Amino acid sequence: MERSREDEVRDRMADIAGPDPGPAEQALLGRLIRSYLEKTPAAVDRLGELLRGGDPAALREHAHAMKGSASNIGAATLSAVLAEVEQAAREGVVLDPDLTLGRIACEQALVFPILEKLAAGG
């Protein structure tokens, strides 16, 4: 059975702060999540530039960093999409920019509300 994105994110947050985080751990999670939410739009914009620019080496590095960030907050499906971008670039292939960015946007639309709720203490 497929786990929900919320389950994936909540499980990752529990890995970081424990199953019953106190105020200090909650504050840490809030900072981590807010940082991710603030930095990701610019990172996606840069990914789009690299996809359209066709530079596999730079694309691979950027996708790798984004994959790690997504994984760190528990966005497993988003991380998997970025892993595909990274692997294709490693092989010298630049994936279709519109299709790839669309997939990323869909995942963000599913994950960002979960993260926003958690950052607000929910």
Side-chain angles (χ1 to χ4, degrees), residues 38-76:
E38 290 168 7
K39 293 178 180 178
T40 298
V44 171
D45 288 346
R46 179 68 181 139
L47 185 72
E49 292 169 4
L50 293 169
L51 284 164
R52 288 184 173 85
D55 178 358
L59 178 60
R60 179 187 50 77
E61 289 178 25
H62 190 69
H64 177 79
M66 288 184 68
K67 175 188 76 174
S69 294
S71 180
N72 283 341
I73 53 96

Side-chain angles (χ1 to χ4, degrees), residues 21-45:
E25 291 85 3
Q26 285 285 9
L28 170 68
L29 294 178
R31 286 191 307 273
L32 174 71
I33 292 168
R34 281 188 296 280
S35 175
Y36 180 80
L37 291 171
E38 290 168 7
K39 293 178 180 178
T40 298
V44 171
D45 288 346

Side-chain angles (χ1 to χ4, degrees), residues 43-119:
V44 171
D45 288 346
R46 179 68 181 139
L47 185 72
E49 292 169 4
L50 293 169
L51 284 164
R52 288 184 173 85
D55 178 358
L59 178 60
R60 179 187 50 77
E61 289 178 25
H62 190 69
H64 177 79
M66 288 184 68
K67 175 188 76 174
S69 294
S71 180
N72 283 341
I73 53 96
T77 304
L78 179 56
S79 181
V81 171
L82 293 161
E84 290 174 23
V85 175
E86 178 187 11
Q87 182 58 40
R90 181 175 285 114
E91 295 168 2
V93 175
V94 175
L95 298 178
D96 178 90
D98 295 328
L99 178 62
T100 303
L101 293 171
R103 291 176 68 202
I104 290 169
C106 287
E107 282 304 312
Q108 287 179 318
L110 295 170
V111 172
F112 277 28
I114 297 164
L115 293 171
E116 290 164 354
K117 181 170 71 173
L118 290 172

